[in-house]
Amino acid sequence: MKFTVAIDGPAAAGKGTISRAVAAKFGFAYLDTGSLYRAVGVKALEVGRGVIDPVIAAQLAGSLSQTDLDRGDLRTAMAGQAASKVAAIPEVRAALLEFQKTYARRDGGAVLDGRDIGTVICPEAEVKIYVTASDEIRAERRHKELVQAKPELTVAQVLNDLRARDDRDAARDIAPMKPADDALVLDTSDMDIAEAIKQALTLVRSVYDGT
Ligand code: DC
């Protein structure tokens, strides 16, 4: 059985939480595709001592290991920016393409979250959701996640960071962040996470017959 749920949208809109809930409910596998770009970005920064070299980034993308994906520093704002930068390099995207495509159509169903799942990785996905929320709400949510580890961080800094990343992700030539024509746009600005999950589950249930 092949069944793909594509969940795209800007940073900190709630994609990850919704994706994990959908995967758990229906017994699907889950891939956070942002972590692939984060792992490449962080490693490319390390190798280049703060400077990302596109050729090296592409090589790293072609040889990612589980250890790279298990690093504890992938969720930082710096990793997010590095991810967004390497994600604009066509050779990096090309190196990660096949793995994601195969994952999407694996037997037993899969949920993938990212920026281009419904448009590029799996245009044939049975369910496509584009999760979004206002910039300010997303910044507040992400700030709550990051402030424990970095108490000096302000909401304004997080907001700037998210906007810079969104602009780059939406403006790049290759696989820009945008809703697929047939995606349901789920604006979670005025929803708590339970409501957002409920709406996503209802949509999947309306398409998935469980066989
Ligand atoms: O989902 P995230 O915030 O962990 O993603 C980090 C960055 O990776 C994001 O700013 C852009 C890039 N990305 C991408 O270009 N395509 C994806 N499918 C997933 C992430």
Side-chain angles (χ1 to χ4, degrees), residues 33-34 37-38 75 83-84 87 93 114-116 165 169 172:
T33 65
Y37 294 94
R38 284 172 182 266
R75 303 305 313 166
S84 174
R93 302 200 78 85
R115 303 291 185 288
D116 63 338
R165 207 138 69 81
D169 294 344
R172 67 181 176 228

Side-chain angles (χ1 to χ4, degrees), residues 6-8 93 97 101 114-125 128 130 172 174-183:
I7 303 196
D8 290 302
R93 302 200 78 85
L97 190 70
K101 278 181 170 286
R115 303 291 185 288
D116 63 338
I117 310 302
T119 51
V120 174
I121 300 298
C122 194
E124 69 275 34
K128 297 182 189 178
Y130 190 85
R172 67 181 176 228
I174 179 161
M177 168 175 79
K178 64 171 178 197
D181 292 338
D182 49 350

Side-chain angles (χ1 to χ4, degrees), residues 32-45:
D32 163 14
T33 65
S35 68
L36 306 175
Y37 294 94
R38 284 172 182 266
V40 174
V42 165
K43 232 178 160 182
L45 275 183

